[in-house]
Amino acid sequence: MHLSEEQLVWYRYGEAKGAAAIGEHLAACATCRAAYQSLERVLAAVDQMPAPDPGENYAAAVWQRLEPRLQQCRPAQRDEGAVRSLTLTALFATWRRLALAAAMAVLIVAAFLLGRFWPRPQTVARQPIPEQVRERILLVAVGEHLERSQMILIELANANPGPQLDVSSERQWAADLVGDNRLYRQAAARAGDPAITAVLDDLERVLLEIAHSPSTLSGGELERIQRQIESGDILFKLRVVESKVRRQEEKPNGL
Amino acid sequence: MSRPEIGRQEEFRLLVEQHSRALFGLAWRMTGNQQDAEEVVQETFLRAYRSFDRFDGRAQPGTWLHRIAVNCALDLLRTRRHDAGRVELQAVGSDAGDAVPARDTAPGPDRLLLSAEVQRRLTAALGRLSPTERAAFVLRHYQGCPIEEISRELRMSENAAKNCVFRAVQKLREALQPLL
Ligand SMILES: [Zn+2]
């Protein structure tokens, strides 16, 4: 008996029952093989159907149209108990808990310091802490941030994609780092440092991806994150930026 | 806007940056034209934003958005079908929309150029699929989703999802086989 059309379709999509037997039949039977090849030609044509490329600036265009609409559609009120893991408040709370004692000085000070790391031409009116001390505190904090980020990425990049991998601690860790990263990225952007902004931007995407991932990753999900880490050569770039920051940290006069 | 509100928007903006293009591709496959695809992308993000607070990381953001997009596209296809009796389809490049200029993906040297006739027939055949057939087929063929996942996304039994994909393949075969 020859293979049914359904068998051929599910065989093509890798979801046929008794795939091995179907494969054997195809190898032995010219009639079914011809039917299968004709199916393949049709589906190959479907594959080649050109889809328009919306262009590199598409996301920006989407956001431009979306942003004013978001304000009219405020998100549904959150339930008292159900708090999303990644609220800014939570990030700041964890940031304070995790940051180095020196960098803990208070968030406002830290945000102020960030402007100093990539110095802006405008002078800031009040300077509550001597400049060198502030810069040192900030450089230490940025250095730590880059180091912690690398550790998490290295860990995931080298994990073996098994059936299930518990990443709940990495996930929490990434969520904690996203907030800091955003502040540093914004400071770098303000200061017009496109290279560092780009690295931090890449890092932020990966951190968000990890922070939003399930606490247990399947092999495929892990591989996706690993590909994302590899694709931008992000670990290498992070090492370069970190060593740059560390060198400045060692200079007797800060920056 | 309050401070957490700004933070939430900033976070959401990153999702938009990261996923817009992929969602557009999916929406275009589902709707077959650019204006509708753009509408689907907008509607997807609006719906996503409304439930952003409840998105707690159980799913990958990409998977989450992609589910919403599939449902938005289905809604749109169903409305269109209801309005016009059939889904309007435009061939790539004949699009009059000006919001985003469409560029055909250039065929690589190893890629066969589809003859205009094949492309025309294929576009027409895809347009004749029912909304669920089209959704199921796009998910299976272009997105590589297994049947089990399709049945969850389209809220139908696995058997029904299988039938949808199979019927779609048969219709495409009928339209194309004589030319290939
Ligand atoms: Zn046979």
Side-chain angles (χ1 to χ4, degrees):
Chain A
M1 212 169 64
H2 291 309
L3 298 168
S4 72
E5 232 182 301
E6 285 198 59
Q7 279 176 305
L8 294 178
V9 169
W10 300 120
Y11 184 74
R12 165 63 171 68
Y13 285 129
E15 294 198 71
K17 291 190 188 97
I22 295 175
E24 279 168 31
H25 184 101
L26 283 175
C29 170
T31 311
C32 287
R33 202 159 54 240
Y36 185 67
Q37 281 162 352
S38 134
L39 170 69
E40 291 231 283
R41 277 197 299 278
V42 169
L43 293 178
V46 174
D47 275 334
Q48 284 169 31
M49 174 87 166
D53 176 353
E56 274 171 29
N57 297 323
Y58 180 62
V62 169
W63 179 250
Q64 209 174 22
R65 220 183 121 196
L66 191 67
E67 197 183 7
R69 300 173 78 187
L70 292 185
Q71 277 154 38
Q72 292 151 19
C73 99
R74 294 175 59 88
Q77 286 301 306
R78 85 181 53 187
D79 309 329
E80 281 303 331
V83 180
R84 202 161 47 87
S85 60
L86 266 181
T87 65
L88 203 65
T89 328
L91 281 173
F92 284 163
T94 351
W95 185 87
R96 278 195 291 270
R97 186 163 48 74
L98 288 182
L100 292 179
M104 268 174 67
V106 192
L107 194 64
I108 297 160
V109 178
F112 170 65
L113 291 174
L114 288 166
R116 300 287 314 166
F117 178 48
W118 287 280
R120 275 183 290 176
Q122 304 94 325
T123 47
V124 185
R126 285 201 162 266
Q127 303 186 348
I129 308 172
E131 197 168 12
Q132 286 178 21
V133 178
R134 286 190 331 225
E135 278 165 2
R136 187 149 304 273
I137 290 170
L138 183 71
L139 284 172
V140 170
V142 173
E144 289 299 321
H145 170 74
L146 293 171
E147 193 186 320
R148 282 206 299 264
S149 300
Q150 282 177 73
M151 280 165 68
I152 207 175
L153 297 192
I154 288 169
E155 209 171 302
L156 287 173
N158 295 319
N160 283 325
Q164 297 283 301
L165 179 70
D166 181 354
V167 292
S168 44
S169 54
E170 284 84 351
R171 203 178 94 168
Q172 182 57 49
W173 208 359
D176 294 333
L177 291 169
V178 168
D180 302 20
N181 196 79
R182 180 169 301 139
L183 292 174
Y184 300 137
R185 174 176 56 75
Q186 286 164 349
R190 266 203 310 276
D193 191 332
I196 292 180
T197 311
V199 173
L200 291 175
D201 203 44
D202 287 350
L203 174 59
E204 205 165 302
R205 282 160 212 267
V206 180
L207 289 175
L208 271 175
E209 195 68 40
I210 298 167
H212 283 153
S213 70
S215 52
T216 319
L217 293 184
S218 71
E221 285 160 337
L222 175 64
E223 272 165 14
R224 220 169 65 79
I225 290 179
Q226 289 178 333
R227 271 199 306 278
Q228 203 186 345
I229 294 172
E230 276 163 26
S231 67
D233 218 354
I234 186 159
L235 275 168
F236 174 72
K237 290 178 190 162
L238 282 178
R239 267 198 297 279
V240 173
V241 175
E242 193 202 345
S243 68
K244 193 171 146 193
V245 169
R246 297 285 191 206
R247 273 200 306 278
Q248 283 170 344
E249 211 181 299
E250 279 157 24
K251 283 187 198 159
N253 292 317
L255 295 170
Chain B
M1 263 191 302
S2 64
R3 212 178 149 66
E5 185 96 12
I6 293 168
R8 172 172 34 232
Q9 277 210 14
E10 178 72 2
E11 213 177 287
F12 197 75
R13 185 180 63 81
L14 286 165
L15 285 181
V16 172
E17 274 175 20
Q18 223 173 339
H19 297 283
S20 284
R21 290 180 69 160
L23 289 177
F24 176 85
L26 171 64
W28 191 87
R29 300 282 188 205
M30 292 271 301
T31 61
N33 82 74
Q34 192 161 337
Q35 284 100 329
D36 283 348
E38 283 173 17
E39 269 324 299
V40 167
V41 172
Q42 282 285 317
E43 181 60 25
T44 299
F45 282 123
L46 281 176
R47 285 192 201 176
Y49 190 70
R50 279 187 217 115
S51 60
F52 193 35
D53 273 3
R54 292 191 300 273
F55 173 69
D56 58 0
R58 262 176 305 203
Q60 300 269 8
T63 314
W64 174 63
L65 288 169
H66 151 134
R67 288 219 170 104
I68 299 174
V70 168
N71 284 301
C72 287
L74 259 180
D75 288 350
L76 187 117
L77 288 176
R78 283 174 181 144
T79 326
R80 283 296 148 80
R81 181 155 279 248
H82 190 70
D83 289 349
R86 68 188 196 92
V87 183
E88 282 301 329
L89 277 155
Q90 296 162 289
V92 181
S94 71
D95 200 327
D98 55 1
V100 176
R103 289 200 308 267
D104 291 3
T105 37
D110 55 334
R111 275 180 84 187
L112 274 168
L113 256 179
L114 277 187
S115 79
E117 178 60 10
V118 171
Q119 200 171 311
R120 197 188 61 71
R121 284 216 198 187
L122 182 54
T123 307
L126 282 166
R128 282 194 300 273
L129 301 180
S130 79
T132 36
E133 282 166 5
R134 184 161 187 154
F137 178 74
V138 167
L139 288 173
R140 177 58 264 185
H141 189 82
Y142 292 109
Q143 308 289 122
C145 296
I147 287 297
E148 182 230 332
E149 195 181 324
I150 297 171
S151 81
R152 257 186 289 127
E153 286 201 20
L154 302 183
R155 293 179 200 86
M156 49 172 69
S157 71
E158 286 194 21
N159 245 338
K162 270 187 129 165
N163 286 337
C164 280
V165 175
F166 183 66
R167 274 200 308 273
V169 173
Q170 269 183 318
K171 288 182 185 176
L172 298 178
R173 257 183 120 162
E174 279 160 23
L176 294 182
Q177 215 149 0
L179 296 175
L180 294 167

